[in-house]
Amino acid sequence: MTPFWQQPWFWPAIVVIVGLPVVLLVLTELQSSLQRRGNSLHKVVGLLRNAVIPVIAILILSVQVTAAVDPSRPVVTQVIATVLGFLVIVFVLNGMNVLLFTNARKGSWREKIPSIFVDIARVILVAIGLAVVFRIVWGTDIGGIFTALGVGSFVIALALQTAVGPIVAGLFLLFEQPFRLGDWLDIGGTRGRVVEVNWRSVHIDTGNGILITPIGSLAGSSFTNLSRTGGTYPVSTSVTFTTDDAPAAVVALLQRVASGLPQLAPSTSPSAEPTGGSGYTVSFEVGGPSQEGPALAQFRMWLWYAARRAGLGLDGDTTDDFVTDERRDAALASIAPTLYLASDDVAALRQVVRLERYAAGEVISRPGVVPTAIRFVLSGSVELRVPFGDEQLPATRVEAGDYVGQTSLTREVVQTFQVALTEVAVLVVPVGAIDTIVRSNPQLARDIGAVIDRRHQDVADTIAARAGQLQSGVTSGSASGTAI
């Protein structure tokens, strides 16, 4: 009698009994490690652990069990082998997809290949793989199958030439990749952002709904990719003023407002010109077409406030209900204690002060200029921001009852950006009037000097804190590099 360890089933069974747990344990640790690092391969390893390896073990046991009963290839074993072949195909394709496309570098050929073509290649490879599996496991004549598929595909292609032609043209359009998801297109005067691309159509968000354009139609027509304009996108809009407004003053106002837009592309300057009558055109450049809408909305809002401050009639309207004698007198009364004003002083100031309003986000004053007036904040909030390289660091806030422009008294340049956080109303007191009040009241000079010192200290503290953060970052980076 042959010893059991010399039986043909013994060693395959030992391989399954001992090897399967060990392999599963190793794959479990590998999957956990990849998942912790955020590597997409953990899903592929999970497929290998949970499906491929167990089916291989089942196939080994099935072959050994059925070999003693039926020396020929039993159906059960063939079915298991077919399932294993399919799982191996899925495993290989998923692994290739992760290695080639999921982690593709931006701008590489792998990242540029449309997903539709990847799907087509995947279907073809699955079909070929299944054909090979059926040939090996079941002995199927795959040559006849491919011949039949080829002839059938030719007949179907002739029958559906009109219907399939645009789709094929669209697929070649996607392979060329004249646009991507997120790009802005101009199709026959309709502008929008590409939000979806599939086999049949391109979905474009126009802001007023989704425009669905057949991909074949897009391939057979001209369109403009607004997102590929060399880094900037031109924006232009028309405005009107009254014919009594001096054109030079209007052009300067338009350029000044557009220059302050946060969407303005770096190293570009806005331009404005009269178009005849009361019309003007202003043009500037932004970072991309997605910024056109926000930039125009902010420009129009800021222009309304700036035109009122400049006394110009935007859209032919020269009225301003905000600037009234009653509101001016109320504002003077509110700042009288701060300036130590007597009744005679208040009466004298009525002739020289003025009311102004600023929109949220507007810059009231910029660094490097000597202010010509002190602005007392009546409502709203102003943030003082310190320029630091390309950054603007918030230093402090000026609320209602406080003032900005205090260095007009000492003829010092402003160190900060004065930015309106909300709609801000101010009372503007010219420096000449402040000088007159200070000469008769030294206490006001001391108060303003204290404010100047406090603001200087705020600026110094802000710069020191930011420099400390940068130094800490450099030190940490150096330490990390040394440890590595």
Side-chain angles (χ1 to χ4, degrees):
M1 181 177 178
T2 304
F4 69 91
W5 61 84
Q6 295 182 0
Q7 296 291 333
W9 52 264
F10 178 77
W11 291 111
I14 292 297
V15 169
V16 172
I17 295 172
V18 177
L20 179 61
V22 173
V23 172
L24 292 181
L25 180 62
V26 172
L27 291 178
T28 299
E29 293 299 322
L30 177 60
Q31 182 184 12
S32 300
S33 176
L34 292 173
Q35 193 168 9
R36 285 194 302 270
R37 290 183 291 174
N39 195 317
S40 301
L41 279 173
H42 78 273
K43 296 181 180 179
V44 180
V45 175
L47 176 64
L48 179 65
R49 173 190 177 278
N50 299 326
V52 177
I53 296 301
V55 173
I56 290 177
I58 293 174
L59 179 62
I60 293 175
L61 295 177
S62 175
V63 169
Q64 298 305 314
V65 170
T66 57
V69 180
D70 186 1
S72 63
R73 185 180 299 174
V75 175
V76 173
T77 302
Q78 290 177 308
V79 171
I80 297 174
T82 304
V83 172
L84 176 62
F86 178 75
L87 291 175
V88 170
I89 293 171
V90 174
F91 168 74
V92 172
L93 290 180
N94 285 343
M96 292 176 59
N97 181 63
V98 171
L99 293 175
L100 292 178
F101 302 109
T102 300
N103 299 322
R105 295 194 314 273
K106 187 174 181 61
S108 64
W109 65 270
R110 295 177 297 171
E111 194 263 344
K112 292 181 179 179
I113 293 181
S115 59
I116 291 177
F117 288 94
V118 176
D119 294 338
I120 293 175
R122 185 181 293 112
V123 171
I124 294 175
L125 291 177
V126 169
I128 294 175
L130 288 177
V132 172
V133 169
F134 275 91
R135 176 68 179 88
I136 296 175
V137 176
W138 300 91
T140 307
D141 182 11
I142 60 175
I145 294 177
F146 281 117
T147 301
L149 288 175
V151 174
S153 300
F154 180 74
V155 173
I156 293 174
L158 289 178
L160 300 178
Q161 182 177 3
T162 302
V164 175
I167 297 179
V168 174
L171 291 178
F172 279 107
L173 174 71
L174 294 180
F175 187 75
E176 183 184 353
Q177 277 201 322
F179 59 84
R180 290 182 176 182
L181 288 178
D183 282 359
W184 286 70
L185 304 183
D186 186 333
I187 305 174
T190 301
R191 294 184 177 185
R193 183 172 59 90
V194 179
V195 294
E196 182 181 348
V197 180
N198 55 42
W199 294 69
R200 180 183 173 275
S201 60
V202 177
H203 295 203
I204 300 175
D205 185 0
T206 64
N208 296 318
I210 302 297
L211 174 66
I212 301 177
T213 302
I215 198 168
S217 301
L218 198 61
S221 61
S222 300
F223 58 90
T224 303
N225 190 334
L226 302 175
S227 297
R228 300 187 183 181
T229 57
T232 61
Y233 179 75
V235 177
S236 180
T237 186
S238 298
V239 294
T240 59
F241 286 79
T242 66
T243 54
D244 294 332
D245 295 326
V250 173
V251 168
L253 176 70
L254 294 173
Q255 291 177 334
R256 184 169 65 253
V257 173
S259 296
L261 292 173
Q263 298 88 358
L264 188 69
S267 303
T268 63
S269 300
S271 62
E273 58 184 14
T275 57
S278 59
Y280 295 83
T281 298
V282 59
S283 302
F284 52 90
E285 297 181 56
V286 297
S290 61
Q291 299 181 8
E292 178 184 17
L296 285 176
Q298 196 156 37
F299 171 77
R300 294 186 181 111
M301 182 176 66
W302 287 6
L303 182 61
W304 187 92
Y305 286 88
R308 294 300 188 275
R309 294 195 302 269
L312 300 176
L314 178 63
D315 297 327
D317 184 8
T318 58
T319 61
D320 189 355
D321 295 336
F322 175 74
V323 180
T324 63
D325 293 340
E326 294 77 9
R327 188 173 279 112
R328 179 202 60 197
D329 292 342
L332 277 172
S334 68
I335 69 168
T338 303
L339 295 180
Y340 304 99
L341 296 179
S343 58
D344 294 341
D345 297 326
V346 173
L349 285 179
R350 284 196 184 98
Q351 308 304 317
V352 295
V353 299
R354 67 180 184 273
L355 293 166
E356 290 182 346
R357 278 185 298 177
Y358 293 85
E362 274 195 281
V363 177
I364 299 173
S365 181
R366 296 178 179 275
V369 300
V370 178
T372 60
I374 292 182
R375 286 175 167 82
F376 291 84
V377 179
L378 304 176
S379 63
S381 180
V382 178
E383 185 172 67
L384 305 185
R385 299 175 182 174
V386 182
F388 188 86
D390 296 332
E391 299 179 87
Q392 292 184 18
L393 309 177
T396 186
R397 288 190 182 185
V398 178
E399 306 292 345
D402 205 345
Y403 51 85
V404 294
Q406 64 281 348
T407 56
S408 61
L409 187 65
T410 57
R411 307 307 189 266
E412 296 179 58
V413 297
V414 177
Q415 293 183 302
T416 60
F417 289 91
Q418 301 169 3
V419 183
L421 294 180
T422 61
E423 182 184 73
V424 173
V426 299
L427 181 68
V428 182
V429 182
V431 65
I434 295 294
D435 284 337
T436 302
I437 299 172
V438 165
R439 280 195 293 268
S440 62
N441 196 328
Q443 181 59 41
L444 177 60
R446 288 192 289 270
D447 291 347
I448 294 178
V451 172
I452 292 175
D453 292 340
R454 186 173 70 249
R455 300 275 170 82
H456 284 171
Q457 187 61 47
D458 290 337
V459 169
D461 291 344
T462 301
I463 294 177
R466 183 57 176 152
Q469 291 175 355
L470 293 178
Q471 183 62 34
S472 299
V474 171
T475 304
S476 300
S478 302
S480 299
T482 303
I484 292 173

